[in-house]
Each structure stands twice: as structure tokens, then as C-alpha cells.
Amino acid sequence: MQGPAIFMDISLEDQAQELRKFFKSLGAEISEEKSAKGIEDDLHKIVGVCDVCLKETNENEIEAILNSIVSIMVSIPLERGENLIVAFSQRLGKSPGPKVGLIALQSLWRLYNNLEANSPLRYHVYYHVIELAARVGAVKDVFTGVEHLKKEFSSCPPSNEQMQKLYRLLHQVLKDQNSELASKVMIELLGTYTDENASYAREDAIKCIVTALADPNTFLLDPLLSLKPVRFLEGELIYDLLTIFVSEKLSSYATFYENHKEFVQSQGLNHEQNVKKMRILSFMQMAETNPEITFDDMITELQIEEKNVEAFIIEVLKTKLVRARMDQAARTVRVTSTMHRTFGPAQWQQLRSVLLAWRANVHQAHESMKSVAAAQLEYTAQQQKA
């Protein structure tokens, strides 16, 4: 995505008058004469009809005109900047097709990058950049992640309400393109709520849970339970479903689905995909306490046919959530390590035990090396005396 604005080598007033004449020639309702109120009023009038040029077939001319408008915008103090920026962004949002839409997006992106880093107007431009980028399939060019977004607004952080609005938009445009990134955005959105207003985030919390459950690459769901808006859902079906995915087995999901089929479907969740995910999560849970898992145990616990066991194990290993070796002859899986579905006090205690054992082994190895070194020195001394 291109950045710097293109500036015309004439005065702003003359530039504005040329734009007036151009739009007038296209049939726009605008006078060719400069405004007696000054360049800002000229710009308001021009922005009011700027979408007329989007109907032109000459793409280079459209780009030049939009760049000219941008160059004026970033060159004058805008006392009514927010209204002007919003109006310009809304006009460009009417771009009739993907090619013209991409040109309009590039112009908005130039405007965004040429505003001062501490300008509160950058937020408004960026919001419309995301809207237009979604229309032309270019979101990945203007949004790469939450951390980068925070850096973009570090000099002039938007209000909490503004960021919530932006996160909702980002989640909406990302959920069908990049579910993993959409989940991160939604978690960030829920993190903006406090104990005082968490109860108002019910809809966002439900979206967050559904997005995470539907994402085929998201298996660590335990952190969602610590989010305040999610905790306010305790006692509701969506919360019960989340807790099943966090710590329970496939059999628990099967029972839940049998009793609440319509609810699962109403959330837009795919039952077959849910079962597939719960099988992997249940296998991870089995691997936590069983270094060796038999095929028969998997057939029973995971409700899987014997002919599909080996394919399932390969699928699990591809996720890299579990490290294991399959022994077809012995009909077993030998587990080396697994990611824990939850990480609470029990897991911390287990980690402590592992680290203590590791420290003891290192100490023993160190003492052994000291003994070997001492024996070697003693042997060398005896040889020298001889």
C-alpha cells in the first residue's frame, strides 16, 4: 500500500480552483469560483462532490484528483477536521468497483500516513480505511496485528469507546478470512471492559467464544475464562459449552449437543467441526496423564472407528500440540510431550516438580564431573611422581 501524498506544484488556492473547475466539468453542483471564506471552505465544497470523479473510466485521472485533495487536506489547519475527514472517507467508500475502490483506498491510506502522529483525526481515517479495505479485499495490507495497531496510535490513543468500535469492525471483516487473528482482536476488545461495565459486553463476549470455538487452529481456550465479560455469562449455555471445550471430554460435548442441538446451530457452529476439535482436545487430555495410549482406549474415549485411528493420530501430530510416536504393531501411541488444555495450580506444581528434578540431575551431573576431574588430577600427579 502506497504511503506519501503527492503534492501539486501550485498554490493551495489555485489548486482548489482547478479542482472546482474539474468537478464542474463533470456536472457536479459546484461553483468554479474560489470561496470568500477561504481554502477550508473550498475543501468542504470539493469534498462534497468528490465522489463524482469515481465514475470516470480514466483510473490515472481519478488517482491524480484524489491525491490533489489529500495534498490540500494535509497542508492546512483543519478546525472542522473531523467532519471533513469523515465526509471524504464516506464519499470514497462509494467507489463503484474493486479497481476504483483500490485507488480510493490508496488515497485514504496516504491521508492517514501524512497526518501528524498525534492527530486524533488519524483514528477516523483508519476506521474508514478498514471499511474500504474490506470491500476491496485488502485488509491484510493495512492491518497486520493488534500490537502494531497499538503502536500506530501510541502518540494519540483513541478513547476506549473508539477502540471498541474499531475492534468490532476488525473482528467483523476478519472472521471469515483469518479466524485466528479475529479471535485475537475479539479478546483484545473484551480486555477493554472493566468490572463496572463488563456486563454490557455480553454480545461481544458471545462472539469471542463462538469465534474461538469455530477456529480450527485455536485449542488453548482456558484464557477466555479469565475475561471479565465472559465470566458474566456464567450460567448460560454458551458458557457451559466453553467450559466443555476448556476441560471436558468428547462425551460431555456429545451429551450437550444431544440436549441443545438448536442452540449450537443458532450460534453458527458446525457440529462435525466441533466433534473433530473435541477429539483432539480429549486426546491431549489423555496424553497429559498417560505416556502410552492404546488404540482401544482411543476407540472408546474418542468415539472413533478403528480404521480411522491411524489417520487421526497423524492429524493430531500435525497440529504439533502433542509429540508422540505411533507403534502400529503394538497398537499404541507413546507420548513424549503434550500441551496442557488448562494451566492452573496443578500444572504449576507439576512444572515445579519437573524443574526441581532437572536441577537435582544437573547438580548430580556436576558433582560427578567434579569427581572425574579430581580423579584425573590425582592420576596425573601420580604419573609425574613415577
Side-chain angles (χ1 to χ4, degrees):
M1 190 64 61
Q2 299 178 33
I6 297 174
F7 295 88
M8 296 179 67
D9 197 20
I10 58 175
S11 70
L12 296 181
E13 290 74 14
D14 290 341
Q15 191 174 333
Q17 187 167 27
E18 289 299 317
L19 287 170
R20 279 177 169 272
K21 290 178 180 178
F22 173 78
F23 285 115
K24 181 71 173 179
S25 70
L26 295 181
E29 295 184 6
I30 188 172
S31 169
E32 294 183 0
E33 301 302 320
K34 299 177 185 177
S35 171
K37 298 179 182 178
I39 186 66
E40 185 183 336
D41 192 60
D42 279 325
L43 194 53
H44 273 278
K45 296 295 194 298
I46 291 167
V47 167
V49 297
C50 69
D51 55 313
V52 173
C53 75
L54 300 178
K55 302 173 185 178
E56 289 295 292
T57 56
N58 189 329
E59 294 173 6
N60 291 332
E61 190 170 64
I62 295 173
E63 183 175 11
I65 293 300
L66 294 180
N67 284 338
S68 180
I69 296 173
V70 169
S71 69
I72 299 176
M73 281 186 169
V74 299
S75 299
I76 62 174
L78 300 174
E79 296 178 0
R80 293 178 290 167
E82 181 176 337
N83 292 336
L84 190 57
I85 292 294
V86 171
F88 183 62
S89 302
Q90 289 175 340
R91 295 281 177 174
L92 294 195
K94 297 178 181 179
S95 305
K99 287 186 177 181
V100 176
L102 187 57
I103 294 171
L105 176 61
Q106 289 171 342
S107 295
L108 271 184
W109 192 237
R110 288 190 183 97
L111 175 58
Y112 172 78
N113 283 290
N114 281 275
L115 289 171
E116 294 292 334
N118 60 357
S119 171
L121 299 180
R122 295 178 82 241
Y123 167 82
H124 301 285
V125 179
Y126 189 79
Y127 187 89
H128 289 286
V129 161
I130 295 298
E131 281 189 323
L132 188 51
R135 284 191 54 202
V136 300
V139 175
K140 65 180 183 298
D141 294 325
V142 294
F143 176 74
T144 56
V146 173
E147 291 307 315
H148 183 264
L149 179 63
K150 289 180 179 178
K151 290 179 182 177
E152 284 288 305
F153 293 121
S154 60
S155 297
C156 185
S159 68
N160 209 40
E161 291 73 19
Q162 286 177 323
M163 287 307 298
Q164 288 173 354
K165 182 180 178 182
L166 179 56
Y167 284 143
R168 289 191 191 98
L169 173 63
L170 284 167
H171 178 265
Q172 180 66 30
V173 303
L174 287 169
K175 65 178 184 179
D176 296 326
Q177 303 174 20
N178 189 331
S179 57
E180 183 177 0
L181 191 53
S183 294
K184 291 179 179 178
V185 168
M186 183 54 73
I187 290 173
E188 197 67 32
L189 168 60
L190 295 188
T192 63
Y193 289 94
T194 63
D195 287 329
E196 288 71 27
N197 60 14
S199 59
Y200 296 104
R202 184 177 183 279
E203 186 176 340
D204 289 331
I206 292 174
K207 285 181 181 179
C208 180
I209 294 172
V210 170
T211 301
L213 297 185
D215 182 8
N217 300 312
T218 299
F219 294 93
L220 187 59
L221 299 161
D222 187 43
L224 295 182
L225 294 176
S226 64
L227 296 171
K228 296 181 181 69
V230 171
R231 293 204 300 267
F232 269 92
L233 296 175
E234 191 169 356
E236 297 191 32
L237 288 177
I238 190 66
Y239 188 90
D240 294 342
L241 182 59
L242 173 60
T243 58
I244 289 173
F245 275 80
V246 167
S247 59
E248 298 187 34
K249 296 182 179 180
L250 177 61
S251 56
S252 297
Y253 171 74
T255 301
F256 181 91
Y257 182 72
E258 188 64 30
N259 295 328
H260 307 290
K261 288 182 181 179
E262 291 185 3
F263 172 76
V264 173
Q265 294 167 358
S266 70
Q267 298 303 311
L269 292 168
N270 183 286
H271 173 60
E272 286 71 25
Q273 291 299 317
N274 289 347
V275 170
K276 181 179 179 180
K277 192 168 189 173
M278 279 302 303
R279 278 201 178 105
I280 295 174
L281 291 169
S282 298
F283 181 84
M284 289 166 56
Q285 192 163 343
M286 293 170 69
E288 288 180 21
T289 54
N290 298 289
E292 189 170 289
I293 304 172
T294 66
F295 282 16
D296 289 335
D297 287 340
M298 282 187 278
I299 292 170
T300 302
E301 290 288 335
L302 307 180
Q303 302 173 21
I304 191 171
E305 294 183 26
E306 184 167 353
K307 64 180 180 180
N308 297 325
V309 170
E310 292 185 13
F312 170 75
I313 294 170
I314 293 172
E315 184 179 359
V316 171
L317 296 179
K318 284 181 179 179
T319 66
K320 298 183 180 179
L321 298 168
V322 178
R323 291 183 180 179
R325 188 177 298 275
M326 177 168 53
D327 186 340
Q328 290 98 326
R331 291 169 49 81
T332 60
V333 176
R334 294 183 174 86
V335 178
T336 305
S337 65
T338 182
M339 185 185 83
H340 289 268
R341 292 174 64 183
T342 60
F343 210 88
Q347 286 71 38
W348 280 113
Q349 183 61 43
Q350 183 180 356
L351 178 60
R352 181 177 183 275
S353 300
V354 170
L355 291 175
L356 287 174
W358 173 80
R359 187 173 69 174
N361 290 336
V362 170
H363 178 72
Q364 184 178 354
H366 181 66
E367 292 300 315
S368 299
M369 290 299 295
K370 283 172 64 177
S371 299
V372 171
Q376 182 65 37
L377 289 172
E378 183 179 350
Y379 175 77
T380 301
Q382 291 175 352
Q383 289 294 104
Q384 288 175 346
K385 289 179 181 180

